[in-house]
């Protein structure tokens, strides 16, 4: 099979066939499931042939990531080419809705694959430049497109980050129709805020609210300290924060907690039960940090909000950033299990509640902000973080400050 691949196709064509197989595998089990043995088996290669071809699993992942970036670039170029000199949709929201829907329906596996690489890059400096190159492609597209609708190109990073979050709602939704309503609520509010018009749908998105209400998880933060159950949750949270969901297992938890393996299964029937409880613990820590952020007499301007508050939420040494990465990891894992998609949708719906209180402290805005606004701000923040260098806090602030100044 290996010989026929190399003889009938060019190296590039055969690589593409292997990468396509790998992309399907990522959708099934994440990057952790991409072992040299399993890829070789599905691609019809011998393990030695795979290693001869790529050198190592790490080298394969690097080539795979670059291929994904090229595929994504082709996608954005096609959008630009189809629109031509003037966008055909009647409004910015129409264009954004069309692109978000197309990417979810047509490029679902690619979006999931790049989300996996985002998490890998968050824990590996070697992968970070690859991720930055990927996220720059949608920012470049919107930098060219936004001025055609009368908005400055400097809003592109925040806009693209918000749309990325919107796409992830579509990827995670266990009820496609509800997910589309939720996304439409977001896109409607986004465009209305940027064009400084009164929201036509005041209040929270009912679809977002329903997803959060349906999130039935153990209330980890109310567990009594010192119990075996609370110890399991604490250790699981530490493992996820340090090494990601791929490192989580009943055995790993039992070993680190110093308890028997049977104790973990006694208190939690499945790993997903532990994941949801760990999510609440991590999220509670992020919420507590948000409440302790320094404020000037409990009020601040929009610029101060972007300059002083948000960097603390997303700084490399803060629970805000590591917690956001861990929560993303949990959500992404939940998307791979159809029985737990409601968990994934509920978790992303929960994001943003820590931001609502912060928005209330903004002093130079006449707008009244609600839960949907705080949800969108968090989507924007996470999207910009996804494409930023974690050591370049100033660049991050500049990217997000102008967008949020326009939004708020």
């Amino acid at each position: 099979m290996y010989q026929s691949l190399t003889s009938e196709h060019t190296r590039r064509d055969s690589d593409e066939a292997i990468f396509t197989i790998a992309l399907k595998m990522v959708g099934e089990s994440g990057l952790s499931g991409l072992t040299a043995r399993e890829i070789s088996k599905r691609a019809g290669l011998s393990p030695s042939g795979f290693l001869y071809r790529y050198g190592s699993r790490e080298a394969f992942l690097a080539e795979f990531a670059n291929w994904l970036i090229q595929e994504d670039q082709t996608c954005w170029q096609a959008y630009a080419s189809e629109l031509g000199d003037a966008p055909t949709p009647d409004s910015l929201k129409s264009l954004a809705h069309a692109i978000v829907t197309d990417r979810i329906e047509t490029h679902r596996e690619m979006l999931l694959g790049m989300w996996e690489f985002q998490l890998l890059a968050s824990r590996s400096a070697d992968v970070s430049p690859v991720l930055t190159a990927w996220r720059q492609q949608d920012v470049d597209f919107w930098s060219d497109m936004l001025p055609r609708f009368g908005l400055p190109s400097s809003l592109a990073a925040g806009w693209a980050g918000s749309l990325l979050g919107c796409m992830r709602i579509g990827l995670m939704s266990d009820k496609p129709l509800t997910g589309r309503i939720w996304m439409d609520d977001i896109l409607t509010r986004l465009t209305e805020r940027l064009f400084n018009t009164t929201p036509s749908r005041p209040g929270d998105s009912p679809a977002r609210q329903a997803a959060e209400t349906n999130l039935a998880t153990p209330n980890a933060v109310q567990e009594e300290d010192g119990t075996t159950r609370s110890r399991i949750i604490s250790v699981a949270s530490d493992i996820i924060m340090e090494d990601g969901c791929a490192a989580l297992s009943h055995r790993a938890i039992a070993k680190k907690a110093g308890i028997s393996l049977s104790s973990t299964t006694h208190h939690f029937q499945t790993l997903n039960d532990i994941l949801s409880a760990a999510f609440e613990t991590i999220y509670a820590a992020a919420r507590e940090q948000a409440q302790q952020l320094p404020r000037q007499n409990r009020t601040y301007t929009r610029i101060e909000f972007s300059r002083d508050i948000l960097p603390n939420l997303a700084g490399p040494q803060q629970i805000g950033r590591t917690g956001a990465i861990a929560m993303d990891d949990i959500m992404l894992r939940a998307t791979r299990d159809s029985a737990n998609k409601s968990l994934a949708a509920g978790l992303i719906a929960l994001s943003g509640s820590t931001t609502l209180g912060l928005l209330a402290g903004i002093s130079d805005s006449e707008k009244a902000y609600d839960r949907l606004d705080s949800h969108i701000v968090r989507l924007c923040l996470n999207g910009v973080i996804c494409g930023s260098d974690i050591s370049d806090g100033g660049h991050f602030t500049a990217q997000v400050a102008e967008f949020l100044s326009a939004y708020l």
Side-chain angles (χ1 to χ4, degrees):
M1 179 65 177
Y2 173 69
Q3 290 182 340
S4 64
L5 275 175
T6 54
S7 61
E8 293 177 11
H9 306 285
T10 64
R11 165 67 187 258
R12 180 177 177 179
D13 290 339
S14 56
D15 277 342
E16 182 168 349
I18 295 171
F19 294 149
T20 300
I21 292 171
L23 188 57
K24 183 174 179 60
M25 292 172 62
V26 170
E28 296 170 354
S29 56
L31 286 177
S32 61
L34 282 184
T35 64
R37 181 176 297 278
E38 188 61 24
I39 298 170
S40 300
K41 178 181 177 181
R42 296 204 188 188
L45 300 172
S46 66
S48 59
F50 176 88
L51 292 175
Y52 176 79
R53 188 183 188 96
Y54 297 107
S56 65
R57 178 180 180 273
E58 290 71 25
F60 171 81
L61 287 178
E63 290 196 40
F64 179 38
N66 285 323
W67 175 76
L68 273 176
I69 291 171
Q70 291 171 4
E71 290 293 296
D72 193 47
Q73 183 179 44
T74 299
C75 177
W76 287 107
Q77 288 172 343
Y79 291 149
S81 176
E82 187 173 343
L83 288 170
D85 294 333
T88 54
D90 295 330
S91 69
L92 177 59
K93 179 198 165 183
S94 297
L95 175 60
H97 194 281
I99 288 178
V100 166
T101 302
D102 180 71
R103 287 178 70 74
I104 292 170
E105 294 180 350
T106 309
H107 306 286
R108 177 183 179 84
E109 290 182 337
M110 180 171 65
L111 290 177
L112 288 172
M114 292 312 304
W115 194 356
E116 289 279 355
F117 273 108
Q118 173 204 339
L119 295 175
L120 179 61
S122 300
R123 297 185 172 97
S124 172
D126 293 338
V127 185
S128 185
V130 174
L131 181 71
T132 303
W134 163 58
R135 284 308 322 286
Q136 192 60 41
Q137 293 174 167
D138 59 340
V139 173
D140 287 344
F141 174 87
W142 290 113
S143 293
D144 177 63
M145 201 58 57
L146 290 182
R148 306 187 192 188
F149 294 94
L151 295 175
S153 60
S154 55
L155 302 184
W159 172 263
S162 301
L163 294 195
L164 179 63
C166 196
M167 292 174 205
R168 289 178 175 176
I169 289 170
L171 292 174
M172 289 186 288
S173 180
D174 59 326
K175 299 177 180 178
L177 180 59
T178 303
R180 288 186 177 91
I181 294 171
W182 183 359
M183 290 188 294
D184 189 69
D185 288 338
I186 289 173
L187 294 173
T188 299
R189 180 65 61 84
L190 263 173
T191 50
E192 288 173 341
R193 287 299 195 197
L194 292 183
F195 288 107
N196 202 28
T197 58
T198 302
S200 58
R201 307 172 190 175
D204 196 0
S205 165
R208 190 218 64 78
Q209 192 172 19
E212 184 175 348
T213 302
N214 291 334
L215 180 60
T217 63
N219 195 343
V221 297
Q222 293 183 0
E223 293 290 341
E224 183 179 349
D225 290 340
T227 65
T228 300
R229 183 182 174 89
S230 67
R231 178 62 178 159
I232 291 171
I233 296 171
S234 176
V235 166
S237 301
D238 289 343
I239 291 173
I240 295 170
M241 294 280 279
E242 293 169 7
D243 303 311
C245 287
L248 194 69
S249 67
H250 285 101
R251 189 173 300 279
I253 294 169
K255 180 178 180 180
K256 188 165 185 174
I259 60 177
S260 67
L261 183 61
S262 60
S263 292
T264 64
T265 54
H266 171 73
H267 290 283
F268 296 94
Q269 291 185 348
T270 68
L271 272 180
N272 282 318
D273 293 335
I274 299 177
L275 280 171
S276 58
F279 181 97
E280 290 195 19
T281 297
I282 295 167
Y283 196 78
R287 182 185 299 112
E288 181 179 356
Q289 183 213 17
Q291 294 170 346
Q292 296 174 353
L293 287 173
R295 308 178 186 185
Q296 296 179 341
N297 299 321
R298 303 187 65 82
T299 62
Y300 30 78
T301 66
R302 288 175 295 170
I303 295 300
E304 288 168 338
F305 175 75
S306 299
R307 184 190 65 204
D308 301 331
I309 303 299
L310 290 179
N312 280 310
L313 281 174
Q317 302 304 320
Q318 301 289 335
I319 186 69
R321 183 176 190 110
T322 54
I325 293 168
M327 289 184 283
D328 260 19
D329 201 352
I330 294 170
M331 286 187 280
L332 185 54
R333 174 167 174 152
T335 66
R336 296 196 292 268
D337 184 349
S338 59
N340 287 284
K341 274 202 166 186
S342 60
L343 168 64
L347 295 180
I348 198 170
L350 185 63
S351 68
S353 66
T354 57
T355 314
L356 184 57
L358 297 176
L359 295 182
I362 297 175
S363 60
D364 61 341
S365 177
E366 297 179 355
K367 300 174 182 177
Y369 304 113
D370 55 35
R371 184 69 171 80
L372 182 58
D373 287 312
S374 68
H375 181 59
I376 291 171
V377 168
R378 191 72 223 186
L379 293 180
C380 167
L381 180 62
N382 287 350
V384 175
I385 288 174
C386 174
S388 66
D389 183 343
I390 61 173
S391 65
D392 190 1
H395 180 57
F396 162 77
T397 304
Q399 281 189 316
V400 76
E402 188 163 353
F403 175 82
L404 289 181
S405 181
Y407 185 95
L408 301 173

